[in-house]
Amino acid sequence: MTIFASRRGLLKLGGAASLGLVANPAVAAPSTERKLGYAIVGLGQYADVILPRFAECRYSRVTALVSGSMEKARRYAARYDVAEAGLYTYDTFDTIRDNPDVDIVYVILPNGMHHEYTLRAAAAGKHVMCEKPMANTAAEAQAMIAACRAADRKLMIGYRCHFEANNREAMRIVREGELGKARIVTAEHGFNIGDPTQWRLNRALAGGGSLMDIGIYSLQAARYLTGEEPVEVSAVESTDRSDIRFKEVEDTINFQLKFASGVVANCVSTYGSGHNRYRVVGTEGWLDAEAATGYGGNRLRLRRNGQTADHPAPDLPVNQFSGMLDHLSQCVMTDSQPIVAGEEGLRDMKIIEAIYLAAREGRTVRL
Ligand code: NDP
């Protein structure tokens, strides 16, 4: 049994799958107001989402930028007030070990580069925040955990939804039994992918198709909403290989997860149409979220006691991005385990591999 503090006092939840219902309160407040320094590796679209959020952080700041282009790094440095000494290319990255202003390396590179840069960051003596999916394979994920452990550094995966108000409230509602016994989860994530030349459609850089990139949100939701681990998976893939975008990776791969308690999750993962939703139906009611896992504007509706109503989640002190960044800083300062550590990323990678196997062989795979 794991014990978590919640808004309602102390809560007991069972199983290794318990993800920590209350993020920051689960970690003691650091005794100092020091801000740890982050190095952002890869200045792409998602780095553009993350970088402005340091302004709202209490324990985190940006002290270094790593990019393939020094000109680009300098442009970002001017915007986010990073010193010239904190600018690196991929070739000079390893010298970051000599920079005492960098405590944490945040890997926001294409998936296929997560493994290499996590290992290099750990070798440089830095803690690591690594974007999802953790790596291209479970074996790589395992090596990343081992490298960070050997270097005595923290490793956290950028699973921001664990720090987002609606998602946390949805977890609480389901896990506290407010819908009765959870029976069926439906989780849908997808978008219509564009540019056929982008790295997301390149197997070496992406590791796979929609499942690695967006379907992973359906998998995560099924796991964090129920607080359980799947014991069986089955899957169906549908990819038009004559479509120039899908020469190397899959388009749609829908999968079903069966959990030990009997809950079943039906999950959508696609690069063909827009989906951002989940629904949990229990014996006493249901919960429906759409948008479910967006950067903002998420909405929750509940049906309980015969009534259906919008359910605005109680506010959290900070947005999901700043909460996530500060969580790792707090874990470093208090020597605590992040609620979404490398092991959590590895669990997803193992299930993802089982989903691919199930689709390829047309059979149910036991986990
Ligand atoms: P982008 O393509 O927008 O950015 C990736 C950056 O990586 C590039 O801008 C580039 O930065 C650097 N890079 C280095 N080598 C390569 C290469 N061979 N090909 C392409 N880029 C390269 O991707 P995203 O920012 O959208 O995604 C990055 C990671 O973040 C992925 O793992 C993705 O899954 C994750 N992500 C997570 C989200 C979340 O909500 N948690 C949302 C979006 C993405 P530079 O020019 O500075 O070298």
Side-chain angles (χ1 to χ4, degrees), residues 27-342:
V27 176
S31 52
T32 69
E33 286 289 300
R34 191 164 78 89
K35 289 189 174 186
L36 295 194
Y38 269 80
I40 304 296
V41 190
L43 305 178
Q45 283 175 47
Y46 194 53
D48 283 338
V49 174
I50 292 293
L51 278 162
R53 301 306 188 153
F54 281 96
E56 292 136 277
C57 286
R58 189 165 164 191
Y59 300 112
S60 318
R61 65 192 177 115
V62 192
T63 51
L65 300 168
V66 185
S67 172
S69 153
M70 274 307 266
E71 185 270 323
K72 186 179 185 182
R74 287 199 180 99
R75 237 180 323 117
Y76 276 73
R79 200 178 311 156
Y80 295 105
D81 196 22
V82 176
E84 178 75 18
L87 305 186
Y88 300 87
T89 63
Y90 302 116
D91 291 337
T92 62
F93 173 70
D94 302 296
T95 64
I96 210 162
R97 71 160 55 83
D98 303 320
N99 188 336
D101 291 334
V102 174
D103 301 286
I104 299 169
V105 166
Y106 190 169
V107 180
I108 322 187
L109 293 163
N111 311 339
M113 300 172 77
H114 292 181
H115 168 255
E116 178 189 340
Y117 280 83
T118 296
L119 263 53
R120 287 169 70 177
K126 306 302 179 185
H127 303 279
V128 182
M129 175 83 84
C130 178
E131 258 315 315
K132 47 57 61 178
M134 180 173 178
N136 277 6
T137 64
E140 283 183 357
Q142 236 140 7
M144 291 156 74
I145 292 170
C148 290
R149 194 173 291 149
D152 194 21
R153 300 293 85 178
K154 307 281 178 205
L155 172 57
M156 175 168 154
I157 310 303
Y159 286 133
R160 58 181 169 73
C161 296
H162 293 253
F163 303 88
E164 195 272 339
N166 277 35
N167 282 275
R168 300 188 64 72
E169 177 68 351
M171 288 182 212
R172 186 194 66 72
I173 288 167
V174 178
R175 295 195 201 178
E176 288 188 1
E178 291 191 8
L179 306 176
K181 189 168 159 41
R183 301 292 304 154
I184 306 286
V185 178
T186 312
E188 302 172 29
H189 286 83
F191 62 96
N192 190 4
I193 199 159
D195 177 10
T197 65
Q198 65 187 289
W199 68 259
R200 281 182 168 79
L201 298 170
N202 172 306
R203 176 161 291 278
L205 286 173
S210 70
L211 180 56
M212 297 292 279
D213 188 53
I214 190 76
I216 193 171
Y217 287 92
S218 293
L219 171 59
Q220 267 282 300
R223 292 181 54 244
Y224 62 65
L225 290 167
T226 59
E228 290 189 49
E229 293 301 326
V231 292
E232 256 178 45
V233 304
S234 55
V236 173
E237 187 202 322
S238 175
T239 303
D240 176 0
R241 295 289 174 187
S242 70
D243 185 325
I244 189 169
R245 297 171 299 172
F246 303 123
K247 295 294 178 203
E248 297 191 18
V249 302
E250 84 281 356
D251 170 6
T252 300
I253 183 161
N254 289 356
F255 53 98
Q256 212 164 44
L257 308 170
K258 183 175 164 190
F259 296 86
S261 69
V263 184
V264 174
N266 293 315
C267 299
V268 169
S269 168
T270 184
Y271 268 161
S273 43
H275 308 249
N276 190 307
R277 181 177 185 220
Y278 56 64
R279 183 178 173 89
V280 182
V281 185
T283 50
E284 311 289 329
W286 53 254
L287 165 160
D288 192 283
E290 186 173 21
T293 58
Y295 295 163
N298 294 327
R299 281 189 62 195
L300 209 53
R301 273 190 322 138
L302 287 187
R303 182 162 180 86
R304 283 182 300 199
N305 307 318
Q307 305 282 326
T308 303
D310 283 340
H311 183 83
D315 283 339
L316 290 177
V318 285
N319 65 77
Q320 57 183 319
F321 307 99
S322 309
M324 177 183 81
L325 294 163
D326 269 352
H327 180 69
L328 181 53
S329 296
Q330 282 177 267
C331 287
V332 168
M333 288 194 261
T334 59
D335 193 18
S336 315
Q337 176 82 338
I339 61 167
V340 280

Side-chain angles (χ1 to χ4, degrees), residues 19-32:
L19 302 175
L21 277 184
V22 178
N24 295 340
V27 176
S31 52
T32 69

